[in-house]
Amino acid sequence: MRGKRFGTGLSLAAGALAACGLAFAPTAAAVDPGTATVNADCGSYGGGDATLTATQSGTSATITLQTSSVTAPVSLGQDSLVSELTMVKADGGTVTFKGTKNPAVSTGDALEVGPLSGTVAPGDSLEAYGGTLKVTAFGFITITCTATAPQAPGPFAFD
C-alpha cells in the first residue's frame, strides 16, 4: 500500500510540474497575415508576383520569398545567394531581413530566398512596398527588386 501511495504522489507531483512548465513556457507569436503577395519590378531580371511568408518567435522573425517571375540566369548552389530584404514600418523607419539561405537551382528555375532573419518589435507593421530586395550572386551580380504596389492582403502585423 505504501508503494502505491508513493507512486501516486510522484505522478501527481510530475503532473503539477508539467502544468507549471506549460504555464511559464514562451508562446509562439503570430504574424497576421502569415503570407502575402506583392508585385515586384526587378529591372532587366524580370518582375511579377512574389509570395512572402513570415514567421515570428519573440523578437526574431523570418521572411521567405518565392517567385516564378524571376528565374535563375545560371545554376546556383544551395545557400550561395546573399539576400537583403528591407521592409517599411508603418510608424516610420525600416526593418532589414538578411541571410544566405536558398535552395540549389538550375538555370531557368524560379527564385526562392530565405528564410531571411530580422528583428521585430511587438506591434510592428511591415510592408514590402517602399522597400527593396537585393540578391547578390557570385559576389558581384546584384538583382534589386522594388514592389510596384502594396502587398496583399496587407502589411505583416507582428505580436
Side-chain angles (χ1 to χ4, degrees), residues 30-37 51-55 62-64 151 153-157:
V31 180
D32 185 39
T35 302
T37 303
T51 301
L52 301 169
T53 304
T55 63
T62 64
I63 296 184
T64 300
Q151 66 192 46
F156 291 120

Side-chain angles (χ1 to χ4, degrees), residues 1-68:
M1 184 70 151
R2 180 175 179 206
K4 189 174 182 179
R5 274 191 267 163
F6 181 73
T8 302
L10 191 57
S11 295
L12 289 173
L17 284 173
C20 286
L22 287 174
F24 293 107
T27 58
V31 180
D32 185 39
T35 302
T37 303
V38 65
N39 188 282
D41 177 8
C42 301
S44 61
Y45 292 98
D49 286 343
T51 301
L52 301 169
T53 304
T55 63
Q56 178 185 6
S57 178
T59 59
S60 297
T62 64
I63 296 184
T64 300
L65 181 139
Q66 298 173 314
T67 181
S68 58

Side-chain angles (χ1 to χ4, degrees), residues 2-155:
R2 180 175 179 206
K4 189 174 182 179
R5 274 191 267 163
F6 181 73
T8 302
L10 191 57
S11 295
L12 289 173
L17 284 173
C20 286
L22 287 174
F24 293 107
T27 58
V31 180
D32 185 39
T35 302
T37 303
V38 65
N39 188 282
D41 177 8
C42 301
S44 61
Y45 292 98
D49 286 343
T51 301
L52 301 169
T53 304
T55 63
Q56 178 185 6
S57 178
T59 59
S60 297
T62 64
I63 296 184
T64 300
L65 181 139
Q66 298 173 314
T67 181
S68 58
S69 301
V70 178
T71 58
V74 296
S75 294
L76 299 166
Q78 181 178 352
D79 301 335
S80 62
L81 299 174
V82 176
S83 302
E84 185 175 294
L85 173 65
T86 301
M87 299 190 76
V88 177
K89 293 173 67 171
D91 60 357
T94 60
V95 174
T96 301
F97 295 83
K98 297 179 181 183
T100 57
K101 297 290 185 189
N102 65 278
V105 294
S106 298
T107 302
D109 284 353
L111 177 67
E112 179 179 340
V113 296
L116 306 177
S117 301
T119 302
V120 295
D124 274 354
S125 178
L126 302 181
E127 166 70 61
Y129 187 55
T132 60
L133 170 68
K134 292 182 182 180
V135 180
T136 303
F138 309 114
F140 64 91
I141 299 171
T142 300
I143 300 169
T144 301
C145 302
T146 56
T148 60
Q151 66 192 46

